[in-house]
Amino acid sequence: MKKLSITVALLFAAGALFAQNKSGYHVAKSFHIKSNGGYDYITVDSTSDNLYVSHGTQVNVISKTTGDSIGVIKTSKDVHGIALVLDLGKGYITNGGNNCVVVFDLKTNKVLGTVPTGQFADGIFYDSFSKKVISCNGRSKNMTVIDPSNDTAVTTIQLTGWPETATSDGAGKIYVNNAEKSEIDVIDATTFKITNSWPIAPVKGPSGLAMDRVTMRLFAGGDKMMAVVDARSGKVVTTLPIGDECDAVGFDIKLKTIFSSNGDGTLTVIKEVSPDKFTVVQNVKNRRRRPHPCC
């Protein structure tokens, strides 16, 4: 494959790369990565200069300000999501083809081991309330709960459809996009049992998911449409048009702005005016998505 560059696909999660002027949002920088493979998720380390980029069968660690290479974490199969547990100095990478999560040291980037998961581990995040790392396993339609203190899987949460992205309110509730059912499943972060399943029609195939913990609003990006959902009641507050093939959604707390990264080569920018009012500001053009080699 040809060498690829990171532009809009990374901008929703890395504000330093994204600029806004009088004419609107625009691409400020493009970082070129000298290795082969498609991209999936990225993760920003808020305590360092590190930006972790899922790229083919490895994670490239680059400077989020200059794009310079800091390190590489190699695996034998496709990589997808990256979660950081800063207190323990460890990172976790979903290795879809190997049905596992790869554990690595944040200082040395050395692989420390693996944790078995369900089939096709994809999205992953760290829940600060339960202090657990949780992977979304698409093909087995479940989620693996990992204790990062000893890197063991402590339980499995079985769902009724393909889990895409999960997030939490940091206070005991976990939310996950169930792409097959077009719903958000709510999970108790103490018992790891499903407590609610909220339909988010007319949005179909929800993938990206983010949250404003202050207003208690969930932002679920699906097929050309985003649902804004009340995280307490499950009510769909409103829907908004976005680009096609949404794969990730980010929320900027300071700017009160939602970003939808879309496979059609756009980044939809949405302003949270109030808990019940949202406005599409712009669709920033970039490049169409190149499919990940696993899919």
Side-chain angles (χ1 to χ4, degrees):
M1 293 185 182
K2 295 180 180 180
K3 296 175 183 178
L4 304 178
S5 63
I6 307 173
T7 49
V8 169
L10 298 186
L11 300 184
F12 79 93
L17 305 183
F18 200 55
Q20 182 183 22
N21 58 22
K22 292 182 180 180
S23 63
Y25 288 86
H26 66 280
V27 176
K29 294 181 182 179
S30 294
F31 293 157
H32 299 270
I33 295 181
K34 297 180 180 179
S35 60
N36 296 326
Y39 295 103
D40 203 346
Y41 291 99
I42 65 168
T43 296
V44 180
D45 183 350
S46 60
T47 65
S48 75
D49 195 40
N50 291 0
L51 179 67
Y52 296 87
V53 184
S54 170
H55 193 202
T57 60
Q58 65 189 36
V59 169
N60 289 78
V61 188
I62 66 174
S63 166
K64 61 192 178 188
T65 55
T66 67
D68 292 340
S69 177
I70 294 173
V72 176
I73 306 161
K74 295 185 178 182
T75 74
S76 60
K77 293 286 186 177
D78 49 292
V79 298
H80 297 275
I82 307 105
L84 309 179
V85 183
L86 300 176
D87 291 344
L88 298 178
K90 293 191 287 188
Y92 296 79
I93 304 166
T94 47
N95 208 173
N98 276 338
N99 301 325
C100 73
V101 164
V102 175
V103 187
F104 69 96
D105 185 283
L106 292 181
K107 289 184 179 180
T108 65
N109 295 324
K110 179 182 178 181
V111 173
L112 302 176
T114 60
V115 182
T117 65
Q119 297 176 22
F120 191 66
D122 188 5
I124 190 169
F125 83 107
Y126 175 65
D127 175 38
S128 59
F129 176 84
S130 64
K131 299 188 183 302
K132 299 294 189 292
V133 175
I134 301 172
S135 73
C136 297
N137 314 313
R139 293 196 181 101
S140 54
K141 302 179 182 181
N142 58 22
M143 302 166 75
T144 301
V145 181
I146 299 169
D147 185 346
S149 68
N150 55 20
D151 294 330
T152 59
V154 295
T155 192
T156 298
I157 305 167
Q158 190 62 49
L159 305 174
T160 58
W162 187 291
E164 277 288 347
T165 312
T167 188
S168 76
D169 62 2
K173 288 186 178 180
I174 295 168
Y175 307 90
V176 59
N177 272 339
N178 188 326
E180 283 186 61
K181 300 292 184 178
S182 288
E183 65 186 23
I184 293 176
D185 292 329
V186 186
I187 298 163
D188 186 306
T190 301
T191 63
F192 297 108
K193 302 295 184 182
I194 297 175
T195 58
N196 280 296
S197 293
W198 296 333
I200 56 172
V203 172
K204 297 179 180 179
S207 181
L209 183 66
M211 182 178 188
D212 182 348
R213 291 181 175 180
V214 176
T215 61
M216 292 297 288
R217 293 294 184 261
L218 293 161
F219 312 113
D223 297 337
K224 298 183 181 181
M225 188 180 295
M226 177 181 291
V228 178
V229 180
D230 188 322
R232 292 161 294 201
S233 67
K235 175 186 176 182
V236 176
V237 175
T238 189
T239 59
L240 298 146
I242 60 174
D244 195 13
E245 301 177 31
C246 170
D247 194 44
V249 174
F251 176 68
D252 189 305
I253 299 172
K254 293 182 179 179
L255 296 178
K256 303 292 285 185
T257 301
I258 306 108
F259 300 92
S260 174
S261 178
N262 312 309
D264 64 1
T266 63
L267 182 79
T268 304
V269 183
I270 300 170
K271 181 69 176 179
E272 183 180 33
V273 180
S274 73
D276 297 328
K277 184 178 180 181
F278 299 82
T279 302
V280 175
V281 175
Q282 190 178 347
N283 280 291
V284 185
K285 292 184 179 180
N286 186 38
R287 302 177 187 175
R288 286 194 61 88
R289 175 180 74 168
R290 176 180 288 182
H292 195 283
C294 73
C295 305

